[in-house]
Amino acid sequence: MAAKKVTRASKKFAEKIIPPPYLASDIPTGLTKPPPGLGPLLAQRSVNIVQFWKDFTAKTKDIKPDTPIPTRVHANPDRTFRVVINSPPVTHFLKLAAGMKKGARYPKQEIAGKITVKHVYEIAEIKSKDACNENVPLLVICRRIINSAHSCGIQVVHHLDVNEYAEFLAERRQIVGEQDKEFEDIRAAKMLRL
């Protein structure tokens, strides 16, 4: 009898977890249906998934497929929503400019790619159109981009020779292949220990 009273009392004090009315997520473009995991997040906020996906695809139809887009969804109590779409992340632009698929595994110890100051300026011009960078000077945005490049293992140079960079990328592919093989060996060794 006492146990029933305790559980009833605990039910009264247990609070329902209410998600915030906004959702911040990076959503890839060019997909025919929403990526897995996005549906439940939108459903928690009472957002119509089909209508959201129609709006999102309409706003991003001119963007290259598989580009991650930072998206903010603000849900209202009356089941309406507002979608804010920003430009792709800086790291996406940096990897495109450097011609690589992923950053360095050890950013302070190795150089994964190189970009020029012109690339930094062009990325800064694109990112300056975002709402969060509205009143930020272009010089500050360029410094942020250079810091992001260093954290990805990308070196910023003033001049870049095409032939030298092609040789650098070929050497880099071999290094990445060796690193991937080492990590696979380490992972296999850990699995054998279990």
Side-chain angles (χ1 to χ4, degrees):
M1 184 96 175
K4 288 184 179 180
K5 289 183 180 180
V6 171
T7 56
R8 287 181 185 162
S10 64
K11 286 182 182 178
K12 289 180 184 177
F13 294 113
E15 295 181 25
K16 183 179 177 184
I17 298 174
I18 301 172
Y22 63 90
L23 170 68
S25 180
D26 288 352
I27 304 172
T29 59
L31 300 176
T32 55
K33 58 183 180 177
L38 184 64
L41 292 173
L42 292 172
Q44 286 177 350
R45 291 157 179 86
S46 300
V47 174
N48 185 348
I49 300 162
V50 176
Q51 185 60 40
F52 165 77
W53 196 247
K54 284 180 183 177
D55 291 350
F56 180 79
T57 53
K59 288 182 179 181
T60 60
K61 65 182 175 193
D62 298 330
I63 299 174
K64 183 179 175 183
D66 294 329
T67 302
I69 300 293
T71 307
R72 310 294 178 257
V73 181
H74 299 274
N76 300 325
D78 61 347
R79 294 185 165 226
T80 59
F81 59 91
R82 181 173 50 97
V83 179
V84 178
I85 296 176
N86 293 324
S87 60
V90 172
T91 53
H92 176 74
F93 286 125
L94 288 172
K95 289 187 275 187
L96 279 177
M100 51 193 234
K101 292 184 181 178
K102 56 184 176 181
R105 290 189 196 260
Y106 309 106
K108 301 202 184 228
Q109 299 172 2
E110 64 183 358
I111 297 172
K114 298 178 183 179
I115 61 171
T116 62
V117 179
K118 183 179 178 182
H119 290 120
V120 172
Y121 179 75
E122 290 173 359
I123 295 169
E125 281 187 330
I126 293 170
K127 292 304 285 181
S128 67
K129 296 173 185 168
D130 283 351
C132 60
N133 293 327
E134 202 169 278
N135 295 322
V136 180
L138 202 59
L139 181 64
V140 174
I141 298 172
C142 287
R143 287 183 182 154
R144 289 179 189 168
I145 292 170
I146 291 171
N147 289 338
S148 295
H150 289 303
S151 68
C152 289
I154 298 173
Q155 184 180 21
V156 179
V157 296
H158 289 285
H159 177 70
L160 192 61
D161 185 31
V162 176
N163 296 328
E164 287 180 18
Y165 193 61
E167 292 174 13
F168 171 80
L169 286 178
E171 292 172 9
R172 182 71 192 149
R173 283 190 205 100
Q174 291 176 351
I175 293 170
V176 169
E178 292 169 5
Q179 286 178 345
D180 288 343
K181 187 177 179 182
E182 288 175 18
F183 277 105
E184 286 298 321
D185 293 342
I186 292 170
R187 189 176 295 142
K190 285 184 181 177
M191 293 301 288
L192 289 175
R193 279 188 249 157
L194 296 176

